[in-house]
Amino acid sequence: MDNKTTLKKKITVLFALIMLAVMLIAFFFVYFVSRSGLDRNISSLLVTTVEENLQEIDIEDEYDEDEKQLKAGDKYIEFDDDFSFNSNEVSLALYSVKGKSAKLFSGTDINRDFNISLSFKDGDVRTVSTDGVRYFVYDANVIDGYWLRGVIPDASEQMMFSTAMRTFLIAFPIIFLFGVVVTYLMLSRSLAPVEDIAGMAREIGMSNDLKRRVDVKADSREIEELADAFNGMLQRLENSFDVQRQFISDASHELRTPMSVILAQCEYLLEDGADPEDYPDGLEVIRRQSTVMSGLISDILELSRIKNNSDRYKRERIDLSELLRDACQDYSKIREKNISLEYEIEDGVFIEGDRGLISSMAGNLVMNAYRYGKENGYIHVGLAKSGDTALVYVKDDGIGIDKKHQKKIFDRFYQVDRYANSRGSGLGLSMVKDIVSWHSGSIEVVSEPGMGSVFTVKLPISH
Ligand code: ADP
């Protein structure tokens, strides 16, 4: 983990690279645009200077000693007063050219190397580089064999060292460094809460104290959301650990009772002088308690499977009408306490879910109705469609449930009258509740002590 670069460094480097690229692009853009503009200006300055000076040259047939004249073949080249070999930074020179060879005739030779060797050509601005300097060259023909050449050095090198350019070159690294430092500092400040969260998470992990929460003062929404999400996760973890702890403690408590009865019976039967005639009764007690334990254990297993969303349950389209009708036909044969079971099932109600779980849900509700029903009582099971919801209800005229117990009966191991009901585990309704929520539904009870209860399950319909 330590050899990985921090986010801060990564973003700063990225920012530095982007800044560098933008500045270089800006620099080259400015450089080339101004350079091409400058080239154009220099070219036209060169052409006008040469052409203007050409106007100041006359060709005479006769020699005039009052004028500045040079003999060129059988003619005289006469320079007027306004002629200058050095005007507007353009250096002018007159060359006599014979075939391929050229000779300086008058003026300053800026650079012998190319001035002589570069062929003379009328009307074109050319560039020549020599000794690392670029020159613009323009020739004008004076008379046959005589050429006026203007040369001006490229000014872009000068431009490079102009004040503006120098300022730019000095400012560039300063802006760059400033940008990088400011970015790094801002990132350090913004990401400090993330480091705080990581530190707190590590501390919470080490102390195993899920009650603690991350307390971060962040000025950015993302970090606040991260802290909230982290706290939310801690809360859910704490809740699920609490539920699990409670479940384990309840389950061991529930198992301890039948276990102690079995142990006591075994000890009694193994005692010296125990009456063999008591053996069948004792074994019967052991068998009964073992049945309770085994029921409890399979209920616990079933519950934990539903809770853990085990893959063993499928979500498929189920004909709920058909499933309930078949189940009710079977349940109606129970006839416990001479209770009669009737059902009213609407046809064609489909849901998305697990057949086994839905059967188990219906079975639990109906078996409770029998268990807590009156002698010669009745049970009504119904299925109806209401909009997008399937309503399953199980109604009995049994002992009913007091208001104060109604909320708790869906809790694990909760029994209203533990002693009157030695067959139950108190897990049935909590299992029903889990099955219903696995199917994205809800369950409620309406009950009146002494009058009976109605359990209504709402499940989303599959179209
Ligand atoms: P169990 O039936 O195994 O005790 P349940 O979770 O199924 O556990 O039910 C919890 C408690 O709710 C029961 O102990 C009982 O007191 C009460 N109860 C459930 N169904 C009914 C009913 N139809 N009529 C009256 N009381 C009921």
Side-chain angles (χ1 to χ4, degrees):
M1 195 182 118
D2 284 337
N3 55 9
K4 280 200 181 153
T5 359
T6 60
L7 196 60
K8 252 186 313 198
K9 278 190 199 146
K10 269 191 199 164
I11 298 178
T12 311
V13 168
L14 192 73
F15 177 75
L17 288 177
I18 292 173
M19 207 157 70
L20 197 68
V22 168
M23 282 183 154
L24 285 178
I25 290 170
F27 174 78
F28 283 113
F29 184 74
V30 170
Y31 177 77
F32 282 113
V33 165
S34 48
R35 188 191 163 124
S36 72
L38 223 72
D39 280 3
R40 264 199 306 279
N41 289 346
I42 291 174
S43 300
S44 64
L45 177 77
L46 175 65
V47 172
T48 26
T49 312
V50 172
E51 292 295 344
E52 272 169 15
N53 277 290
L54 188 66
Q55 301 295 314
E56 303 301 322
I57 296 176
D58 297 325
I59 309 296
E60 302 294 340
D61 292 331
E62 303 286 320
Y63 178 70
D64 183 348
E65 58 185 29
D66 295 335
E67 299 292 339
K68 269 189 261 162
Q69 285 186 337
L70 287 172
K71 190 167 165 48
D74 53 352
K75 306 266 180 198
Y76 294 92
I77 296 175
E78 185 181 302
F79 297 98
D80 291 347
D81 289 343
D82 287 340
F83 183 89
S84 162
F85 278 111
N86 240 315
S87 58
N88 301 335
E89 290 176 46
V90 176
S91 306
L92 292 166
L94 197 64
Y95 294 86
S96 71
V97 183
K98 265 194 203 96
K100 287 225 173 224
S101 72
K103 235 172 41 193
L104 179 68
F105 191 65
S106 179
T108 11
D109 204 359
I110 301 169
N111 189 313
R112 276 176 199 283
D113 279 356
F114 80 81
N115 269 353
I116 306 290
S117 59
L118 183 71
S119 64
F120 287 82
K121 205 172 163 205
D122 212 353
D124 259 347
V125 175
R126 288 170 291 166
T127 54
V128 183
S129 291
T130 176
D131 292 338
V133 184
R134 208 162 69 110
Y135 293 93
F136 290 84
V137 179
Y138 183 76
D139 300 332
N141 191 230
V142 183
I143 48 164
D144 227 19
Y146 291 89
W147 288 82
L148 180 66
R149 168 165 285 179
V151 175
I152 185 166
D154 182 359
S156 56
E157 273 78 16
Q158 296 161 18
M159 184 194 84
M160 277 294 285
F161 298 102
S162 69
T163 328
M165 215 49 168
R166 224 172 308 144
T167 319
F168 185 76
L169 286 178
I170 293 169
F172 174 83
I174 295 176
I175 295 172
F176 179 77
L177 263 177
F178 182 75
V180 169
V181 170
V182 167
T183 311
Y184 188 80
L185 291 179
M186 269 176 60
L187 279 174
S188 303
R189 213 183 106 95
S190 307
L191 292 177
V194 176
E195 280 164 17
D196 291 351
I197 293 177
M200 283 184 208
R202 224 171 290 130
E203 270 177 40
I204 292 171
M206 275 187 311
S207 66
N208 257 335
D209 182 4
L210 290 176
K211 291 217 177 324
R212 284 184 57 183
R213 294 290 175 267
V214 164
D215 177 26
V216 174
K217 306 235 166 336
D219 47 12
S220 63
R221 198 155 46 86
E222 290 89 341
I223 308 247
E224 224 167 67
E225 272 172 19
L226 177 70
D228 285 351
F230 191 78
N231 282 340
M233 189 188 70
L234 278 177
Q235 183 65 55
R236 281 193 298 281
L237 268 179
E238 189 192 343
N239 291 350
S240 79
F241 272 121
D242 282 352
V243 167
Q244 219 163 24
R245 207 176 297 132
Q246 188 60 41
F247 183 75
I248 290 169
S249 114
D250 289 349
S252 14
H253 182 84
E254 292 302 314
L255 285 169
R256 209 160 37 209
T257 318
M259 203 64 215
S260 336
V261 178
I262 291 170
L263 270 176
Q265 276 301 316
C266 290
E267 270 159 24
Y268 169 70
L269 295 179
L270 289 171
E271 251 174 29
D272 281 346
D275 187 349
E277 278 190 9
D278 288 342
Y279 284 6
D281 284 349
L283 285 173
E284 182 53 38
V285 171
I286 292 173
R287 194 174 68 105
R288 219 171 27 239
Q289 293 303 321
S290 305
T291 313
V292 169
M293 272 178 74
S294 135
L296 200 67
I297 290 167
S298 50
D299 281 356
I300 290 173
L301 270 178
E302 189 74 13
L303 249 176
S304 80
R305 276 195 201 119
I306 301 169
K307 262 278 170 251
N308 295 334
N309 229 345
S310 163
D311 292 341
R312 55 186 277 139
Y313 303 114
K314 299 189 286 264
R315 279 184 207 276
E316 55 182 359
R317 202 169 135 84
I318 309 170
D319 185 343
L320 188 61
S321 311
E322 191 192 330
L323 188 150
L324 282 182
R325 199 173 292 116
D326 289 351
C328 286
Q329 255 166 20
D330 297 346
Y331 299 145
S332 63
K333 309 229 165 60
I334 295 176
R335 296 224 135 254
E336 199 177 309
K337 301 183 203 158
N338 204 27
I339 293 171
S340 62
L341 184 141
E342 283 164 21
Y343 48 95
E344 199 176 328
I345 311 278
E346 190 176 321
D347 269 335
V349 182
F350 287 85
I351 60 157
E352 200 79 31
D354 184 274
R355 195 171 281 279
L357 289 180
I358 294 292
S359 301
S360 162
M361 173 199 89
N364 265 293
L365 292 175
V366 173
M367 288 321 289
N368 275 353
Y370 273 114
R371 198 179 291 163
Y372 305 105
K374 282 192 198 125
E375 286 289 335
N376 305 317
Y378 72 86
I379 301 172
H380 274 170
V381 178
L383 170 65
K385 226 196 287 191
S386 162
D388 279 345
T389 312
L391 295 176
V392 181
Y393 65 88
V394 179
K395 184 174 176 210
D396 65 61
D397 60 349
I399 59 168
I401 308 157
D402 199 285
K403 252 231 143 33
K404 66 174 190 259
H405 296 298
Q406 281 177 20
K407 273 240 142 36
K408 297 187 190 152
I409 53 171
F410 296 100
D411 293 348
R412 301 209 150 104
F413 301 107
Y414 190 83
Q415 292 178 303
V416 174
D417 187 350
R418 177 171 294 267
Y419 301 101
N421 171 26
S422 57
R423 278 190 292 165
S425 63
L427 284 177
L429 283 179
S430 83
M431 201 144 74
V432 168
K433 197 174 167 209
D434 285 346
I435 293 174
V436 171
S437 45
W438 193 83
H439 286 85
S440 317
S442 62
I443 181 163
E444 60 191 41
V445 61
V446 176
S447 183
E448 185 81 29
M451 302 293 286
S453 319
V454 190
F455 284 86
T456 310
V457 173
K458 291 180 185 163
L459 296 169
I461 275 179
S462 156
H463 295 286

